[in-house]
């Protein structure tokens, strides 16, 4: 299982700390497992979007589509 920190893992870890929540507290409040919270914060590449949204919902956020510069992506291949 390859892990790398990404924007969402960093964002959620910062939000949890800003709200003075431990990982177990966040898991309980979001209705997800502690293992899921740990995997999320460690940047696991494969996570269920519905569970990510359960965590984001605590902070008034949700996953969404973000437009990207397609030409820039193609030139980086």
């Amino acid at each position: 299982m390859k892990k790398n920190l990404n924007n969402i893992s960093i964002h959620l870890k910062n939000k949890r700390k800003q709200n003075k929540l431990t990982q177990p507290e966040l898991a309980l409040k979001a209705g997800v497992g502690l293992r899921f919270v740990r995997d999320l914060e460690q940047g696991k590449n494969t996570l269920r979007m519905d569970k990510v949204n359960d965590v984001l919902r605590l902070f008034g956020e949700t996953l969404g589509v973000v437009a990207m510069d397609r030409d820039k992506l193609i030139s980086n291949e």
Side-chain angles (χ1 to χ4, degrees), residues 9-21 26 41 56 58-61:
S9 62
I10 294 167
H11 174 75
L12 282 171
K13 186 173 187 174
N14 288 337
K15 291 295 254 184
R16 176 179 63 78
K17 288 182 174 190
Q18 287 171 4
N19 286 275
K20 296 178 175 49
L21 294 170
L26 177 62
E41 288 190 3
L56 285 168
L58 289 176
F59 306 115
E61 300 171 337

Side-chain angles (χ1 to χ4, degrees), residues 22-34 37 58:
T22 64
Q23 287 180 335
E25 290 169 336
L26 177 62
L28 184 64
K29 288 179 181 286
V32 299
L34 177 57
V37 171
L58 289 176

Side-chain angles (χ1 to χ4, degrees), residues 6-70:
N6 53 46
N7 288 342
I8 195 150
S9 62
I10 294 167
H11 174 75
L12 282 171
K13 186 173 187 174
N14 288 337
K15 291 295 254 184
R16 176 179 63 78
K17 288 182 174 190
Q18 287 171 4
N19 286 275
K20 296 178 175 49
L21 294 170
T22 64
Q23 287 180 335
E25 290 169 336
L26 177 62
L28 184 64
K29 288 179 181 286
V32 299
L34 177 57
R35 172 76 182 253
F36 180 82
V37 171
R38 288 182 175 154
D39 286 346
L40 178 60
E41 288 190 3
Q42 291 175 4
K44 183 178 177 189
N45 288 330
T46 55
L47 293 169
R48 287 181 41 186
M49 287 189 289
D50 61 327
K51 287 187 173 190
V52 173
N53 272 327
D54 288 341
V55 176
L56 285 168
R57 194 172 295 117
L58 289 176
F59 306 115
E61 300 171 337
T62 188
L63 290 174
V65 177
V66 177
M68 298 177 76
D69 183 348
R70 185 166 184 232

